[in-house]
Amino acid sequence: MVNKYSILLPTYNEVDNLPLIVWLICEHMNSVKASYEIIIIDDNSPDGTQDMARQLQKVYGTDIVRLEPRAKKLGLGTAYIHGMERATGNFIIIMDADLSHHPKFIPEMIKRQKEINCDIVTGTRYAGNGGVYGWDFRRKFISRAANYLTQVLLAPGVSDLTGSFRLYRKEVLQNLVSSCISKGYVFQMEMIVKARQFDYSIEEVPISFIDRVYGSSKLGGSEIIQFAKGLVQLFFTI
């Protein structure tokens, strides 16, 4: 069977980033002659993101660029469920639409999955030649501290537990999403911890994380508090 990759792009106010991220995905997927679709899951962005997605459909075709909007912001976990229910691929790739995740790493993830025949390939900023660029000291400190705490408390067996650039077998992602109870930024951590519990095989690929060029970061004080609460909850429940 020929593998098909469904790339899920949850969006909210990404009208400036969407054309470039779609073009980059298509360039890199076509370079390895992969079968793919890009599913844009927009949460009713007021900035015209959905209009931009429709324009991109005219350029690339509705079989490549698929718009699957929702009525409002409902959370990352439900966005994945929304996308998976509509995906036609047997592999799912999740990534950010703000250009912080460069699509050039997708072929490396695909290659790694094929070599090992693993269930999950996750991008890591903290191993090999991976790194973070464009963040100030505060953001880097928060990310490093969060990752260190998760390593100490949860022992996940991967070097970057808080990242969100990953490739999953579709059935694996479906199982993980249905079993997770966390929301927000903690959701990504619980996915990997649960994957270890279920004995899914996980491989890592070093990535470069670039701070968004357009738009504003969605990380604030409330998200940090949510992360801390969620980490403690995972520690006592998993």
Side-chain angles (χ1 to χ4, degrees), residues 122-154:
T122 182
T124 176
R125 298 162 290 180
Y126 303 128
N129 59 354
V132 176
Y133 303 92
W135 277 359
D136 57 20
F137 174 79
R138 173 181 170 274
R139 288 290 303 274
K140 287 184 178 180
F141 176 79
I142 291 172
S143 178
R144 282 285 189 178
N147 200 63
Y148 175 77
L149 285 173
T150 58
Q151 297 293 335
V152 171
L153 296 178
L154 303 179

PDB file of all heavy atoms in Angstrom, residues 122-154:
ATOM      1  N   THR A 122       8.820  12.198  16.361  1.00  0.00           N
ATOM      2  CA  THR A 122       8.619  13.522  16.938  1.00  0.00           C
ATOM      3  C   THR A 122       9.839  14.396  16.711  1.00  0.00           C
ATOM      4  O   THR A 122      10.976  13.933  16.807  1.00  0.00           O
ATOM      5  CB  THR A 122       8.296  13.414  18.445  1.00  0.00           C
ATOM      6  OG1 THR A 122       8.058  14.735  18.982  1.00  0.00           O
ATOM      7  CG2 THR A 122       9.426  12.764  19.213  1.00  0.00           C
ATOM      8  N   GLY A 123       9.605  15.648  16.389  1.00  0.00           N
ATOM      9  CA  GLY A 123      10.697  16.588  16.214  1.00  0.00           C
ATOM     10  C   GLY A 123      11.249  17.014  17.557  1.00  0.00           C
ATOM     11  O   GLY A 123      10.498  17.201  18.513  1.00  0.00           O
ATOM     12  N   THR A 124      12.568  17.147  17.645  1.00  0.00           N
ATOM     13  CA  THR A 124      13.189  17.564  18.897  1.00  0.00           C
ATOM     14  C   THR A 124      14.079  18.780  18.694  1.00  0.00           C
ATOM     15  O   THR A 124      14.876  18.833  17.757  1.00  0.00           O
ATOM     16  CB  THR A 124      14.004  16.431  19.544  1.00  0.00           C
ATOM     17  OG1 THR A 124      14.659  16.939  20.717  1.00  0.00           O
ATOM     18  CG2 THR A 124      15.048  15.865  18.590  1.00  0.00           C
ATOM     19  N   ARG A 125      13.927  19.760  19.582  1.00  0.00           N
ATOM     20  CA  ARG A 125      14.774  20.945  19.575  1.00  0.00           C
ATOM     21  C   ARG A 125      16.003  20.757  20.435  1.00  0.00           C
ATOM     22  O   ARG A 125      16.919  21.580  20.403  1.00  0.00           O
ATOM     23  CB  ARG A 125      13.978  22.141  20.116  1.00  0.00           C
ATOM     24  CG  ARG A 125      12.759  22.512  19.296  1.00  0.00           C
ATOM     25  CD  ARG A 125      11.788  23.365  20.075  1.00  0.00           C
ATOM     26  NE  ARG A 125      11.126  22.599  21.144  1.00  0.00           N
ATOM     27  CZ  ARG A 125      10.226  23.095  21.985  1.00  0.00           C
ATOM     28  NH1 ARG A 125       9.860  24.366  21.879  1.00  0.00           N
ATOM     29  NH2 ARG A 125       9.675  22.336  22.918  1.00  0.00           N
ATOM     30  N   TYR A 126      16.030  19.682  21.223  1.00  0.00           N
ATOM     31  CA  TYR A 126      17.032  19.547  22.277  1.00  0.00           C
ATOM     32  C   TYR A 126      17.941  18.337  22.112  1.00  0.00           C
ATOM     33  O   TYR A 126      18.498  17.839  23.092  1.00  0.00           O
ATOM     34  CB  TYR A 126      16.332  19.487  23.635  1.00  0.00           C
ATOM     35  CG  TYR A 126      15.451  20.692  23.890  1.00  0.00           C
ATOM     36  CD1 TYR A 126      14.119  20.546  24.265  1.00  0.00           C
ATOM     37  CD2 TYR A 126      15.943  21.977  23.726  1.00  0.00           C
ATOM     38  CE1 TYR A 126      13.306  21.642  24.481  1.00  0.00           C
ATOM     39  CE2 TYR A 126      15.146  23.082  23.937  1.00  0.00           C
ATOM     40  CZ  TYR A 126      13.829  22.916  24.322  1.00  0.00           C
ATOM     41  OH  TYR A 126      13.026  24.011  24.526  1.00  0.00           O
ATOM     42  N   ALA A 127      18.107  17.856  20.894  1.00  0.00           N
ATOM     43  CA  ALA A 127      19.026  16.747  20.632  1.00  0.00           C
ATOM     44  C   ALA A 127      19.642  16.942  19.251  1.00  0.00           C
ATOM     45  O   ALA A 127      19.059  17.614  18.387  1.00  0.00           O
ATOM     46  CB  ALA A 127      18.314  15.400  20.723  1.00  0.00           C
ATOM     47  N   GLY A 128      20.809  16.346  19.042  1.00  0.00           N
ATOM     48  CA  GLY A 128      21.479  16.447  17.751  1.00  0.00           C
ATOM     49  C   GLY A 128      21.730  17.892  17.372  1.00  0.00           C
ATOM     50  O   GLY A 128      22.174  18.700  18.196  1.00  0.00           O
ATOM     51  N   ASN A 129      21.416  18.247  16.143  1.00  0.00           N
ATOM     52  CA  ASN A 129      21.613  19.626  15.697  1.00  0.00           C
ATOM     53  C   ASN A 129      20.327  20.450  15.762  1.00  0.00           C
ATOM     54  O   ASN A 129      20.176  21.462  15.071  1.00  0.00           O
ATOM     55  CB  ASN A 129      22.168  19.649  14.268  1.00  0.00           C
ATOM     56  CG  ASN A 129      21.252  18.946  13.275  1.00  0.00           C
ATOM     57  OD1 ASN A 129      20.252  18.352  13.670  1.00  0.00           O
ATOM     58  ND2 ASN A 129      21.602  19.010  12.002  1.00  0.00           N
ATOM     59  N   GLY A 130      19.390  20.016  16.590  1.00  0.00           N
ATOM     60  CA  GLY A 130      18.160  20.779  16.785  1.00  0.00           C
ATOM     61  C   GLY A 130      18.428  22.056  17.562  1.00  0.00           C
ATOM     62  O   GLY A 130      19.451  22.193  18.238  1.00  0.00           O
ATOM     63  N   GLY A 131      17.510  23.000  17.480  1.00  0.00           N
ATOM     64  CA  GLY A 131      17.704  24.254  18.193  1.00  0.00           C
ATOM     65  C   GLY A 131      16.485  25.149  18.123  1.00  0.00           C
ATOM     66  O   GLY A 131      15.490  24.846  17.459  1.00  0.00           O
ATOM     67  N   VAL A 132      16.567  26.264  18.838  1.00  0.00           N
ATOM     68  CA  VAL A 132      15.505  27.266  18.880  1.00  0.00           C
ATOM     69  C   VAL A 132      16.108  28.602  18.463  1.00  0.00           C
ATOM     70  O   VAL A 132      17.163  28.990  18.973  1.00  0.00           O
ATOM     71  CB  VAL A 132      14.892  27.385  20.294  1.00  0.00           C
ATOM     72  CG1 VAL A 132      13.849  28.501  20.330  1.00  0.00           C
ATOM     73  CG2 VAL A 132      14.277  26.065  20.721  1.00  0.00           C
ATOM     74  N   TYR A 133      15.410  29.314  17.577  1.00  0.00           N
ATOM     75  CA  TYR A 133      15.923  30.571  17.062  1.00  0.00           C
ATOM     76  C   TYR A 133      14.843  31.648  17.099  1.00  0.00           C
ATOM     77  O   TYR A 133      13.684  31.386  16.796  1.00  0.00           O
ATOM     78  CB  TYR A 133      16.426  30.390  15.624  1.00  0.00           C
ATOM     79  CG  TYR A 133      17.492  29.324  15.519  1.00  0.00           C
ATOM     80  CD1 TYR A 133      17.136  28.003  15.247  1.00  0.00           C
ATOM     81  CD2 TYR A 133      18.832  29.626  15.729  1.00  0.00           C
ATOM     82  CE1 TYR A 133      18.100  27.007  15.169  1.00  0.00           C
ATOM     83  CE2 TYR A 133      19.810  28.642  15.658  1.00  0.00           C
ATOM     84  CZ  TYR A 133      19.434  27.334  15.376  1.00  0.00           C
ATOM     85  OH  TYR A 133      20.388  26.344  15.314  1.00  0.00           O
ATOM     86  N   GLY A 134      15.229  32.844  17.500  1.00  0.00           N
ATOM     87  CA  GLY A 134      14.306  33.976  17.506  1.00  0.00           C
ATOM     88  C   GLY A 134      13.620  34.238  18.825  1.00  0.00           C
ATOM     89  O   GLY A 134      12.863  35.199  18.950  1.00  0.00           O
ATOM     90  N   TRP A 135      13.861  33.386  19.824  1.00  0.00           N
ATOM     91  CA  TRP A 135      13.257  33.599  21.129  1.00  0.00           C
ATOM     92  C   TRP A 135      14.169  34.452  22.001  1.00  0.00           C
ATOM     93  O   TRP A 135      15.407  34.364  21.909  1.00  0.00           O
ATOM     94  CB  TRP A 135      13.028  32.266  21.843  1.00  0.00           C
ATOM     95  CG  TRP A 135      11.773  31.566  21.441  1.00  0.00           C
ATOM     96  CD1 TRP A 135      10.842  31.975  20.550  1.00  0.00           C
ATOM     97  CD2 TRP A 135      11.314  30.301  21.957  1.00  0.00           C
ATOM     98  NE1 TRP A 135       9.831  31.063  20.462  1.00  0.00           N
ATOM     99  CE2 TRP A 135      10.086  30.027  21.300  1.00  0.00           C
ATOM    100  CE3 TRP A 135      11.812  29.400  22.876  1.00  0.00           C
ATOM    101  CZ2 TRP A 135       9.352  28.866  21.565  1.00  0.00           C
ATOM    102  CZ3 TRP A 135      11.087  28.242  23.135  1.00  0.00           C
ATOM    103  CH2 TRP A 135       9.871  27.989  22.490  1.00  0.00           C
ATOM    104  N   ASP A 136      13.562  35.254  22.884  1.00  0.00           N
ATOM    105  CA  ASP A 136      14.352  35.976  23.875  1.00  0.00           C
ATOM    106  C   ASP A 136      14.687  35.034  25.030  1.00  0.00           C
ATOM    107  O   ASP A 136      14.261  33.870  25.053  1.00  0.00           O
ATOM    108  CB  ASP A 136      13.605  37.217  24.381  1.00  0.00           C
ATOM    109  CG  ASP A 136      12.231  36.902  24.986  1.00  0.00           C
ATOM    110  OD1 ASP A 136      11.991  35.734  25.363  1.00  0.00           O
ATOM    111  OD2 ASP A 136      11.405  37.821  25.091  1.00  0.00           O
ATOM    112  N   PHE A 137      15.460  35.546  25.972  1.00  0.00           N
ATOM    113  CA  PHE A 137      15.910  34.702  27.081  1.00  0.00           C
ATOM    114  C   PHE A 137      14.736  34.136  27.865  1.00  0.00           C
ATOM    115  O   PHE A 137      14.758  32.962  28.266  1.00  0.00           O
ATOM    116  CB  PHE A 137      16.821  35.500  28.023  1.00  0.00           C
ATOM    117  CG  PHE A 137      17.214  34.739  29.253  1.00  0.00           C
ATOM    118  CD1 PHE A 137      18.225  33.787  29.214  1.00  0.00           C
ATOM    119  CD2 PHE A 137      16.573  34.960  30.464  1.00  0.00           C
ATOM    120  CE1 PHE A 137      18.584  33.072  30.346  1.00  0.00           C
ATOM    121  CE2 PHE A 137      16.917  34.248  31.599  1.00  0.00           C
ATOM    122  CZ  PHE A 137      17.938  33.305  31.538  1.00  0.00           C
ATOM    123  N   ARG A 138      13.681  34.940  28.062  1.00  0.00           N
ATOM    124  CA  ARG A 138      12.531  34.492  28.856  1.00  0.00           C
ATOM    125  C   ARG A 138      11.874  33.279  28.215  1.00  0.00           C
ATOM    126  O   ARG A 138      11.604  32.277  28.902  1.00  0.00           O
ATOM    127  CB  ARG A 138      11.520  35.637  28.984  1.00  0.00           C
ATOM    128  CG  ARG A 138      10.193  35.232  29.641  1.00  0.00           C
ATOM    129  CD  ARG A 138       9.235  36.413  29.714  1.00  0.00           C
ATOM    130  NE  ARG A 138       7.906  35.980  30.118  1.00  0.00           N
ATOM    131  CZ  ARG A 138       6.978  35.540  29.288  1.00  0.00           C
ATOM    132  NH1 ARG A 138       7.239  35.466  27.981  1.00  0.00           N
ATOM    133  NH2 ARG A 138       5.781  35.183  29.734  1.00  0.00           N
ATOM    134  N   ARG A 139      11.621  33.353  26.903  1.00  0.00           N
ATOM    135  CA  ARG A 139      10.965  32.238  26.233  1.00  0.00           C
ATOM    136  C   ARG A 139      11.832  30.979  26.252  1.00  0.00           C
ATOM    137  O   ARG A 139      11.341  29.868  26.451  1.00  0.00           O
ATOM    138  CB  ARG A 139      10.638  32.617  24.776  1.00  0.00           C
ATOM    139  CG  ARG A 139       9.519  33.610  24.605  1.00  0.00           C
ATOM    140  CD  ARG A 139       8.165  33.024  24.948  1.00  0.00           C
ATOM    141  NE  ARG A 139       7.825  31.841  24.180  1.00  0.00           N
ATOM    142  CZ  ARG A 139       7.264  31.848  22.995  1.00  0.00           C
ATOM    143  NH1 ARG A 139       6.991  32.994  22.389  1.00  0.00           N
ATOM    144  NH2 ARG A 139       6.972  30.717  22.377  1.00  0.00           N
ATOM    145  N   LYS A 140      13.134  31.166  26.024  1.00  0.00           N
ATOM    146  CA  LYS A 140      14.035  30.016  26.047  1.00  0.00           C
ATOM    147  C   LYS A 140      14.081  29.389  27.437  1.00  0.00           C
ATOM    148  O   LYS A 140      14.078  28.164  27.584  1.00  0.00           O
ATOM    149  CB  LYS A 140      15.445  30.425  25.618  1.00  0.00           C
ATOM    150  CG  LYS A 140      15.566  30.712  24.128  1.00  0.00           C
ATOM    151  CD  LYS A 140      17.001  31.027  23.751  1.00  0.00           C
ATOM    152  CE  LYS A 140      17.134  31.258  22.251  1.00  0.00           C
ATOM    153  NZ  LYS A 140      18.532  31.580  21.862  1.00  0.00           N
ATOM    154  N   PHE A 141      14.119  30.242  28.470  1.00  0.00           N
ATOM    155  CA  PHE A 141      14.170  29.743  29.843  1.00  0.00           C
ATOM    156  C   PHE A 141      12.908  28.962  30.190  1.00  0.00           C
ATOM    157  O   PHE A 141      12.972  27.871  30.765  1.00  0.00           O
ATOM    158  CB  PHE A 141      14.348  30.896  30.821  1.00  0.00           C
ATOM    159  CG  PHE A 141      14.324  30.470  32.268  1.00  0.00           C
ATOM    160  CD1 PHE A 141      15.451  29.904  32.848  1.00  0.00           C
ATOM    161  CD2 PHE A 141      13.178  30.612  33.031  1.00  0.00           C
ATOM    162  CE1 PHE A 141      15.429  29.487  34.175  1.00  0.00           C
ATOM    163  CE2 PHE A 141      13.149  30.205  34.357  1.00  0.00           C
ATOM    164  CZ  PHE A 141      14.283  29.637  34.926  1.00  0.00           C
ATOM    165  N   ILE A 142      11.752  29.518  29.808  1.00  0.00           N
ATOM    166  CA  ILE A 142      10.487  28.841  30.092  1.00  0.00           C
ATOM    167  C   ILE A 142      10.443  27.483  29.409  1.00  0.00           C
ATOM    168  O   ILE A 142      10.059  26.471  30.007  1.00  0.00           O
ATOM    169  CB  ILE A 142       9.292  29.714  29.640  1.00  0.00           C
ATOM    170  CG1 ILE A 142       9.170  30.947  30.535  1.00  0.00           C
ATOM    171  CG2 ILE A 142       7.995  28.908  29.671  1.00  0.00           C
ATOM    172  CD1 ILE A 142       8.139  31.955  30.052  1.00  0.00           C
ATOM    173  N   SER A 143      10.845  27.439  28.132  1.00  0.00           N
ATOM    174  CA  SER A 143      10.815  26.184  27.389  1.00  0.00           C
ATOM    175  C   SER A 143      11.762  25.150  27.985  1.00  0.00           C
ATOM    176  O   SER A 143      11.403  23.990  28.176  1.00  0.00           O
ATOM    177  CB  SER A 143      11.183  26.443  25.922  1.00  0.00           C
ATOM    178  OG  SER A 143      11.207  25.238  25.197  1.00  0.00           O
ATOM    179  N   ARG A 144      12.990  25.589  28.292  1.00  0.00           N
ATOM    180  CA  ARG A 144      13.976  24.671  28.872  1.00  0.00           C
ATOM    181  C   ARG A 144      13.521  24.172  30.239  1.00  0.00           C
ATOM    182  O   ARG A 144      13.641  22.980  30.559  1.00  0.00           O
ATOM    183  CB  ARG A 144      15.334  25.368  28.998  1.00  0.00           C
ATOM    184  CG  ARG A 144      16.105  25.458  27.691  1.00  0.00           C
ATOM    185  CD  ARG A 144      16.693  24.119  27.325  1.00  0.00           C
ATOM    186  NE  ARG A 144      17.610  24.195  26.205  1.00  0.00           N
ATOM    187  CZ  ARG A 144      18.287  23.168  25.711  1.00  0.00           C
ATOM    188  NH1 ARG A 144      18.124  21.974  26.231  1.00  0.00           N
ATOM    189  NH2 ARG A 144      19.102  23.312  24.691  1.00  0.00           N
ATOM    190  N   ALA A 145      13.010  25.103  31.052  1.00  0.00           N
ATOM    191  CA  ALA A 145      12.553  24.725  32.388  1.00  0.00           C
ATOM    192  C   ALA A 145      11.383  23.751  32.313  1.00  0.00           C
ATOM    193  O   ALA A 145      11.333  22.753  33.049  1.00  0.00           O
ATOM    194  CB  ALA A 145      12.151  25.966  33.176  1.00  0.00           C
ATOM    195  N   ALA A 146      10.460  24.022  31.405  1.00  0.00           N
ATOM    196  CA  ALA A 146       9.304  23.137  31.249  1.00  0.00           C
ATOM    197  C   ALA A 146       9.753  21.754  30.805  1.00  0.00           C
ATOM    198  O   ALA A 146       9.278  20.737  31.323  1.00  0.00           O
ATOM    199  CB  ALA A 146       8.337  23.730  30.232  1.00  0.00           C
ATOM    200  N   ASN A 147      10.679  21.715  29.856  1.00  0.00           N
ATOM    201  CA  ASN A 147      11.153  20.423  29.370  1.00  0.00           C
ATOM    202  C   ASN A 147      11.921  19.668  30.448  1.00  0.00           C
ATOM    203  O   ASN A 147      11.796  18.449  30.593  1.00  0.00           O
ATOM    204  CB  ASN A 147      12.036  20.616  28.141  1.00  0.00           C
ATOM    205  CG  ASN A 147      12.168  19.355  27.314  1.00  0.00           C
ATOM    206  OD1 ASN A 147      11.179  18.857  26.786  1.00  0.00           O
ATOM    207  ND2 ASN A 147      13.362  18.823  27.201  1.00  0.00           N
ATOM    208  N   TYR A 148      12.714  20.404  31.229  1.00  0.00           N
ATOM    209  CA  TYR A 148      13.469  19.765  32.315  1.00  0.00           C
ATOM    210  C   TYR A 148      12.522  19.179  33.362  1.00  0.00           C
ATOM    211  O   TYR A 148      12.720  18.037  33.825  1.00  0.00           O
ATOM    212  CB  TYR A 148      14.401  20.784  32.972  1.00  0.00           C
ATOM    213  CG  TYR A 148      15.135  20.237  34.177  1.00  0.00           C
ATOM    214  CD1 TYR A 148      16.226  19.386  34.014  1.00  0.00           C
ATOM    215  CD2 TYR A 148      14.725  20.556  35.467  1.00  0.00           C
ATOM    216  CE1 TYR A 148      16.893  18.872  35.126  1.00  0.00           C
ATOM    217  CE2 TYR A 148      15.381  20.049  36.575  1.00  0.00           C
ATOM    218  CZ  TYR A 148      16.470  19.205  36.401  1.00  0.00           C
ATOM    219  OH  TYR A 148      17.127  18.699  37.501  1.00  0.00           O
ATOM    220  N   LEU A 149      11.507  19.934  33.732  1.00  0.00           N
ATOM    221  CA  LEU A 149      10.555  19.449  34.731  1.00  0.00           C
ATOM    222  C   LEU A 149       9.827  18.198  34.242  1.00  0.00           C
ATOM    223  O   LEU A 149       9.614  17.256  35.005  1.00  0.00           O
ATOM    224  CB  LEU A 149       9.535  20.547  35.059  1.00  0.00           C
ATOM    225  CG  LEU A 149      10.032  21.691  35.944  1.00  0.00           C
ATOM    226  CD1 LEU A 149       8.985  22.779  36.044  1.00  0.00           C
ATOM    227  CD2 LEU A 149      10.410  21.185  37.333  1.00  0.00           C
ATOM    228  N   THR A 150       9.461  18.201  32.975  1.00  0.00           N
ATOM    229  CA  THR A 150       8.772  17.026  32.446  1.00  0.00           C
ATOM    230  C   THR A 150       9.687  15.807  32.427  1.00  0.00           C
ATOM    231  O   THR A 150       9.239  14.680  32.670  1.00  0.00           O
ATOM    232  CB  THR A 150       8.243  17.281  31.022  1.00  0.00           C
ATOM    233  OG1 THR A 150       9.335  17.630  30.164  1.00  0.00           O
ATOM    234  CG2 THR A 150       7.215  18.394  31.012  1.00  0.00           C
ATOM    235  N   GLN A 151      10.964  16.028  32.142  1.00  0.00           N
ATOM    236  CA  GLN A 151      11.911  14.909  32.144  1.00  0.00           C
ATOM    237  C   GLN A 151      12.050  14.326  33.541  1.00  0.00           C
ATOM    238  O   GLN A 151      12.067  13.103  33.736  1.00  0.00           O
ATOM    239  CB  GLN A 151      13.290  15.375  31.642  1.00  0.00           C
ATOM    240  CG  GLN A 151      13.317  15.877  30.208  1.00  0.00           C
ATOM    241  CD  GLN A 151      13.037  14.787  29.193  1.00  0.00           C
ATOM    242  OE1 GLN A 151      13.261  13.618  29.443  1.00  0.00           O
ATOM    243  NE2 GLN A 151      12.526  15.178  28.039  1.00  0.00           N
ATOM    244  N   VAL A 152      12.121  15.200  34.551  1.00  0.00           N
ATOM    245  CA  VAL A 152      12.300  14.753  35.935  1.00  0.00           C
ATOM    246  C   VAL A 152      11.046  14.052  36.459  1.00  0.00           C
ATOM    247  O   VAL A 152      11.122  12.988  37.081  1.00  0.00           O
ATOM    248  CB  VAL A 152      12.663  15.948  36.837  1.00  0.00           C
ATOM    249  CG1 VAL A 152      12.639  15.540  38.314  1.00  0.00           C
ATOM    250  CG2 VAL A 152      14.035  16.494  36.468  1.00  0.00           C
ATOM    251  N   LEU A 153       9.890  14.653  36.195  1.00  0.00           N
ATOM    252  CA  LEU A 153       8.648  14.152  36.784  1.00  0.00           C
ATOM    253  C   LEU A 153       8.014  13.001  36.008  1.00  0.00           C
ATOM    254  O   LEU A 153       7.411  12.107  36.597  1.00  0.00           O
ATOM    255  CB  LEU A 153       7.632  15.293  36.913  1.00  0.00           C
ATOM    256  CG  LEU A 153       8.010  16.437  37.864  1.00  0.00           C
ATOM    257  CD1 LEU A 153       6.936  17.508  37.843  1.00  0.00           C
ATOM    258  CD2 LEU A 153       8.211  15.921  39.287  1.00  0.00           C
ATOM    259  N   LEU A 154       8.161  13.009  34.684  1.00  0.00           N
ATOM    260  CA  LEU A 154       7.428  12.047  33.870  1.00  0.00           C
ATOM    261  C   LEU A 154       8.298  11.010  33.188  1.00  0.00           C
ATOM    262  O   LEU A 154       7.788   9.978  32.731  1.00  0.00           O
ATOM    263  CB  LEU A 154       6.603  12.786  32.805  1.00  0.00           C
ATOM    264  CG  LEU A 154       5.607  13.833  33.322  1.00  0.00           C
ATOM    265  CD1 LEU A 154       4.893  14.495  32.157  1.00  0.00           C
ATOM    266  CD2 LEU A 154       4.604  13.210  34.282  1.00  0.00           C
TER     267      LEU A 154
END
